[in-house]
Every structure is written in structure tokens, then in C-alpha cells.
Amino acid sequence: MDNFIVSARKYRPTTFNTVVGQSHITNTLKNAIKNNQLAQAFLFCGPRGVGKTTCARVLAKTINCENITPDTEACGECSSCKSFLQGASMNFHELDAASNNSVDDIRSLVEQVRYAPQSGKYKIYIIDEVHMLSTSAFNAFLKTLEEPPPYAIFILATTEKHKILPTILSRCQIFDFNRIKVNDMAEHLQHIADKENIQVDTDALHIIAQKADGALRDALSMFDQITSFSGGNITYQAVIDNLNILDYDYYFKATDLLVNQQLPESLLLFNTVLEKGFDGNNYINGLCEHFRNLLVAKDPSTIKLLETSEGIKKRYLEQSQTSEVSFLLSALNIGNQCDLNLRTSKNQRLQVELALIKMCHIQAALNISGHSGSVPTDLKKKPEIKTDEFNKPATTPIQSTKNIVVPVVESKKSITTTNLKTPSIPKTPVISYSIPVDKLEVSDIDIQTASVKRAKDEFDTIRLKEVWVELKAWAKTQKSINLFTALGDEINLKENFELHLQVENNYQSKLIQDERQEILSFLRQKLNNFSIDLVIAESAVQDSKKKLYTNQDKFNHMAEKNPNLLHMLKRLDLDIDS
């Protein structure tokens, strides 16, 4: 039985033109060879399986070729090319730094560099996984890398460039390899399948390419595995079953169920996914990716961003026409929040089911509100609120998953949520708009909707004192006895509805100022006049019987009777407030 050679080795590129998905690097290297501008050291870095070592070997073979083609490729026929392909070239040395990372290994390599090539122009040294070298090995390599002989070329390859010393990086030409695109990888797999006479589905190759995550070597390994599994006939279903991948069909079906508010079927579908061995995190991330693809498919100019086959793109286009943008954005937001919660949750299944329940109700909220994520026109109108309705909050019959409450304000163009915290005091009337989940924030609402026609009823001193008694009762029960005392019994009504209140000291003034907003709100509602203002003034007359509130007042009172207290306070460095 012939020895089987895996596709990753059998179809390994031997020329620059056959390297997949790295044209920006191969073109640069070909031009450097053509113009005889080769650097003394190259650093190839990038993810696994993207062609770093392959390009290094192709470069090594090409620069020593005796008959380079007009397209700057190795001829493959000269003695240098043949000895290279047979592994017998004395001008080519490859070192695996993962297992030869000591300073002695590098010193041995440096000793070899001293000898010129017997045939050919260059001696090429490839050091793979160079980031695995020890610091001592790097330092031993520095001088040779900086000033090598004219016939020596070093090609370093690594997947972790950040682990390499800056002194090494500064001595190399750095080439960053990209992840191989899905379409490029699928075309290469199709090319191999044609050579091997294997029947394949285009969708199946795209699934393999997506699963490989930019690494062609991984894609070729999966290709060999599925070829053995399917007996030489690679179908879409064979790839799904063998690689244990969640099919596109699950996400297309899940989206239809969520849009149509079929919650039981959505939960049953999720249960089927769990029974197949997938976890909730895998499912919710795949669903969010599906929603993203639907948003991309909304515009024909962005459909090219979908790295799928033409058949799957067509399905995305069809479903995107039945899915509202507002639904997709809300669902993406919910799915993203679910993904964050899954990392710390002990019951991941519950988190995903809650997310599915919320997604099922998005469409209902949109249908009730009658818009698709934009501010309704009625929000832009100035609501009319009658003055006799100030004793009860406005309500709305619409129930939604998120309410934005905008209290009525007097003249400031800002939104406040401060309300009186007593059942006996009428609450500030509010306007409540029902907005779908995660569609609008408070800043999205036209601030003019919070304005109402200000009431300005007349009242006399008798009515004012009646309300003032109620205010003091509220202050005594809901606030503090100190505020009750500070309000006093005398309140004077001046022009333009200014209320003048005289207090005994600064402490009382500060106490009232702290509660000023709630006091004014109480008075304005009770008197149905939103032009009322409160002016506070301290009494200029010193009352010998005035009450002592603060520690400072009490100490001053005692110090008047016993001046020695002042000396004691200073000598002992005491603090009155403590």
C-alpha cells in the first residue's frame, strides 16, 4: 500500500504564484529578487497555517536558482533546484527554534555561517518559531544578524512577533502575513478536489474555509478528514455532521420564529441545539452573527462583505427583506448583553432562554408602538395638560418593556426625576411614553415635550398661610423637625408671587435651601401657580432667646458666660464639631 501524503504536504506551494492569499508579500519578494535588492534578514510573522515557512522555502529555492524564469520563479530543473527538492542542498539550513533554543545551538549556527557556499550564490538559514529562543540565544545571534557575510541570508518565522527582542526586529525586514480569506481558501480546496477527482459542494467548501479561521493548513486537514468520512463525495450535510457545526438552517429558522413571535418553537429549537452538544454561548454568538449578516444584506452594496457561497447569500437577501432593521438592532443588543452575562452566569441556559424571550417580544413592541425604531410624530408635539389634572399623574394605556418618563419641569430645559416621597403630597405630573426595548434613550426625546402651559392662579395671604401649615406638617413628618422649625410661622406675600421668609441664622437658611426645590414644587401645585418663588433672608435682629442649633452656636453661647473656654479650646487644639 502506498504511503498516504496529507494534502497540506502534497499540495504545498513550490512557487510564488501558487502561494494562496499572500500576493502582497510574494510580489514584494519577487521584485526584490528581480532588482537584486535582497535584505540580509527577513522576519515572516502571522497566524498559524498561512504560509510563512512555505514562503521562506520558496524564497530560499528561488534566490539560488541558476535559471530564474522571466516571471521571477525558480525553474525547478537546475541542479540547485533539484538538490533543494530532494533535501540534499548544502546551501539551505532550517532550524526549529522550539526545540533548539539554547545559546549553544545558536553558536553552532553562527559557526556554520563562517564558511562560504561551495556552489550557488547564497547560504540561506531559516529559523522557525524564532520567538522560542532564549534571551541569551538572541543576544548571541545579534552581531551575526547585524553584519552577516554577503552570502548569508537569514529568514526568521514566528507566530508571536511581540515576544522577539526589539534589537532583533530592528535588523530585519518584517513581513506580516494575513489570514487567508474564505473565498481564496474555498477556491484552493476546489482546485485540490478537481485534481483528486473528488465530488464536492460549493457550500461545503465554504463551511470548511470558515471553520479554518484563516489557516489554510487547518482547512486542508479538515478536507482530508471529510474526504475519508464521505468516501470521496463531500456534501454540505457531511461537513456539518463530521465537523459538528451549527448549520445555517438553524439560524434562518430561528430568525423566522423570532420575527413571527413563536416563542415555544424558539425554545424547542434551542433545546435541539443543546441536545446536539453545542453550548448556549456558541448558539447566541452564531445568532448575533446571523443578525449582522442580515443587516449587511439589507444594502446590495455591502452584500460582498458576506463570506459565504452565492446560494447562502441569496437566502440572506430573501430573509433580510422580511426582517425590520429595528428588530435586528434590538436583537443584536439583547444578544450582545446575553453574551456578556454568560461569562459570569452559573445557569447559562436560562440566560439564553431569557434573551430569546426578549427577542420574541421585540416585534410585538414595534407593532404596538407603530414605528420601526424612529421617534413617533406625536412625540414631537407639545402635549396639552389641563391644570385640574395636576393632582394625578398622567397615564398611558400602552404597556411596553421599557418606559421613558419625562416629568414636567418649570423653565429649565432638562429632565429631572425628583418627586416628593410622601403619599399625602401630590406627585409631580409626568408624561409617560412607551418605547420599544433599546430603541430610544432619554436624549432622543424632544425636550419640548416636557413643557406644559404654566398655571398662574391668584391667591391671597389667607390661602397662603393655609398651605404653609400643610407644608410644615409635611416637613415634620417626612423630613426633619429642624426643617419644621426653620419654616417658622411668618410668610409674607410680595409682588410677582414672591414669598419672603425670614430665618434666625445661617443654619436654618442652608437647611431650607437644601429642600428648596421640593418646597417650591409643593407650594406651586397646592396653589396652582408656577410663578411662585421663595426668598430667604436672615434676621438682622439678635434675639436673646433665639434657639441654638449648631455646635458652634452652643459653644459661643457658653463662651460668652465663661471666656476661659476659648483658652482651653486653643491650648488643647480642640475641634468644636467633633
Side-chain angles (χ1 to χ4, degrees):
M1 184 175 62
D2 295 336
N3 291 330
F4 174 72
I5 302 177
V6 296
S7 298
R9 291 180 56 196
K10 185 176 181 179
Y11 294 98
R12 191 167 201 162
T14 56
T15 62
F16 287 121
N17 290 338
T18 55
V19 175
V20 180
Q22 307 296 346
S23 58
H24 65 293
I25 291 176
T26 57
N27 290 337
T28 303
L29 294 176
K30 288 168 68 174
N31 289 333
I33 296 172
K34 184 177 180 179
N35 299 325
N36 196 23
Q37 295 178 345
L38 287 172
Q40 62 195 21
F42 299 90
L43 176 63
F44 293 168
C45 49
R48 70 182 190 281
V50 295
K52 299 184 297 297
T53 306
T54 296
C55 278
R57 292 178 179 176
V58 172
L59 176 62
K61 183 179 72 169
T62 305
I63 59 180
N64 267 337
C65 179
E66 299 172 3
N67 300 307
I68 297 179
T69 65
D71 195 25
T72 321
E73 295 282 5
C75 66
E77 300 294 336
C78 65
S79 58
S80 175
C81 291
K82 287 182 179 180
S83 62
F84 181 88
L85 293 174
Q86 294 170 1
S89 176
M90 299 300 293
N91 296 334
F92 174 75
H93 304 274
E94 186 169 352
L95 178 69
D96 179 21
S99 55
N100 302 279
N101 55 7
S102 67
V103 65
D104 292 334
D105 295 319
I106 293 299
R107 284 173 180 168
S108 176
L109 184 144
V110 170
E111 285 295 324
Q112 297 179 31
V113 175
R114 296 172 55 188
Y115 302 101
Q118 297 300 315
S119 62
K121 294 182 291 184
Y122 298 100
K123 290 182 73 173
I124 299 95
Y125 296 88
I126 297 178
I127 304 179
D128 205 4
E129 303 298 336
V130 69
H131 66 275
M132 298 292 288
L133 291 178
S134 63
T135 304
S136 299
F138 271 129
N139 291 330
F141 190 39
L142 278 175
K143 190 63 177 177
T144 304
L145 192 64
E146 183 176 13
E147 298 179 357
Y151 52 79
I153 293 180
F154 296 96
I155 305 175
L156 315 180
T158 180
T159 55
E160 301 183 47
K161 183 174 68 173
H162 60 279
K163 292 185 178 181
I164 300 177
L165 295 180
T167 49
I168 295 290
L169 295 176
S170 65
R171 290 165 168 81
C172 301
Q173 276 191 6
I174 301 175
F175 291 85
D176 291 305
F177 284 67
N178 298 329
R179 292 182 182 273
I180 301 176
K181 296 180 180 179
V182 172
N183 291 332
D184 293 339
M185 207 178 299
E187 290 178 2
H188 186 66
L189 293 176
Q190 182 68 59
H191 174 70
I192 295 175
D194 293 339
K195 284 192 173 183
E196 296 290 333
N197 295 321
I198 299 173
Q199 299 295 323
V200 294
D201 288 345
T202 304
D203 291 344
L205 296 182
H206 275 83
I207 290 293
I208 296 174
Q210 291 178 35
K211 183 72 172 178
D213 193 26
L216 184 57
R217 184 170 60 237
D218 293 355
L220 292 170
S221 298
M222 286 186 284
F223 179 81
D224 290 341
Q225 177 183 341
I226 297 167
T227 301
S228 300
F229 172 78
S230 61
N233 184 15
I234 301 178
T235 63
Y236 180 81
Q237 191 60 42
V239 174
I240 295 298
D241 294 340
N242 187 260
L243 298 182
N244 199 27
I245 297 174
L246 270 176
D247 187 8
Y248 286 113
D249 290 336
Y250 285 100
Y251 299 124
F252 280 110
K253 184 176 181 181
T255 303
D256 288 335
L257 294 174
L258 294 173
V259 170
N260 295 321
Q261 307 173 51
Q262 295 176 272
L263 178 58
E265 291 80 358
S266 299
L267 297 179
L268 290 174
L269 180 63
F270 175 53
N271 184 68
T272 303
V273 170
L274 294 178
E275 290 176 350
K276 288 184 175 291
F278 299 98
D279 59 10
N281 196 18
N282 190 316
Y283 180 70
I284 202 67
N285 283 328
L287 195 57
C288 288
E289 178 68 17
H290 185 78
F291 292 149
R292 174 261 181 193
N293 291 342
L294 289 175
L295 284 172
V296 169
K298 281 284 186 181
D299 194 325
S301 63
T302 57
I303 193 67
K304 61 183 179 182
L305 297 178
L306 298 182
E307 294 183 331
T308 60
S309 64
E310 293 301 322
I312 300 299
K313 284 183 180 179
K314 184 177 179 181
R315 294 185 64 183
Y316 273 119
L317 283 171
E318 292 174 353
Q319 192 172 68
S320 66
Q321 302 305 315
T322 61
S323 304
E324 296 291 339
V325 173
S326 52
F327 169 81
L328 296 175
L329 290 174
S330 297
L332 269 173
N333 196 14
I334 294 171
N336 180 60
Q337 188 61 44
C338 176
D339 181 40
L340 296 176
N341 294 337
L342 282 174
R343 302 175 188 176
T344 56
S345 175
K346 294 182 179 179
N347 190 344
Q348 294 191 348
R349 175 169 183 164
L350 178 61
Q351 292 293 334
V352 177
E353 288 177 340
L354 286 174
L356 293 176
I357 292 171
K358 292 178 182 178
M359 292 178 187
C360 270
H361 286 83
I362 292 174
Q363 196 62 42
L366 293 174
N367 293 338
I368 292 174
S369 60
H371 64 86
S372 300
S374 58
V375 180
T377 55
D378 58 342
L379 289 184
K380 300 178 181 179
K381 297 178 181 179
K382 188 174 180 181
E384 295 291 339
I385 298 181
K386 298 180 180 180
T387 56
D388 59 352
E389 294 179 355
F390 273 53
N391 291 330
K392 60 179 181 179
T395 58
T396 175
I398 298 177
Q399 298 294 328
S400 180
T401 54
K402 181 176 179 181
N403 289 328
I404 296 176
V405 178
V406 184
V408 176
V409 295
E410 177 199 4
S411 59
K412 297 180 180 179
K413 294 187 177 180
S414 61
I415 297 177
T416 177
T417 56
T418 304
N419 288 323
L420 298 181
K421 302 178 180 178
T422 173
S424 61
I425 304 301
K427 296 183 178 180
T428 304
V430 300
I431 307 167
S432 178
Y433 293 106
S434 234
I435 305 297
V437 179
D438 301 313
K439 289 272 96 48
L440 294 174
E441 299 298 335
V442 174
S443 60
D444 295 325
I445 300 177
D446 187 355
I447 199 65
Q448 292 183 356
T449 60
S451 301
V452 294
K453 186 177 180 180
R454 300 191 343 172
K456 199 172 180 180
D457 287 0
E458 298 285 343
F459 58 90
D460 55 14
T461 303
I462 297 176
R463 176 57 181 160
L464 173 61
K465 290 187 176 182
E466 292 175 354
V467 174
W468 195 257
V469 172
E470 296 181 24
L471 174 66
K472 292 185 63 178
W474 165 76
K476 185 176 182 180
T477 57
Q478 301 297 326
K479 294 298 180 179
S480 66
I481 189 65
N482 287 340
L483 179 61
F484 167 79
T485 305
L487 290 174
D489 296 324
E490 294 296 329
I491 183 70
N492 299 316
L493 176 60
K494 303 295 183 179
E495 294 181 356
N496 298 325
F497 304 107
E498 279 190 0
L499 307 183
H500 286 223
L501 175 65
Q502 196 170 67
V503 296
E504 296 180 0
N505 49 47
N506 182 62
Y507 173 76
Q508 289 185 340
S509 176
K510 184 177 183 302
L511 196 63
I512 296 176
Q513 287 290 355
D514 291 342
E515 305 294 339
R516 176 187 178 87
Q517 192 61 39
E518 292 193 53
I519 292 173
L520 282 176
S521 178
F522 180 90
L523 294 172
R524 289 168 178 172
Q525 291 180 55
K526 281 291 185 180
L527 296 170
N528 200 22
N529 189 315
F530 282 77
S531 296
I532 293 176
D533 196 11
L534 181 63
V535 179
I536 304 170
E538 293 184 30
S539 176
V541 180
Q542 298 294 327
D543 186 359
S544 59
K545 295 183 179 181
K546 71 176 182 178
K547 296 182 180 180
L548 304 176
Y549 291 96
T550 65
N551 293 334
Q552 183 68 50
D553 292 340
K554 294 175 183 178
F555 177 79
N556 293 339
H557 178 70
M558 291 188 294
E560 289 177 1
K561 297 181 179 180
N562 187 357
N564 291 329
L565 290 175
L566 295 173
H567 299 293
M568 182 183 70
L569 179 70
K570 185 176 182 180
R571 292 184 61 184
L572 298 179
D573 193 20
L574 299 177
D575 186 1
I576 295 176
D577 292 332
S578 60

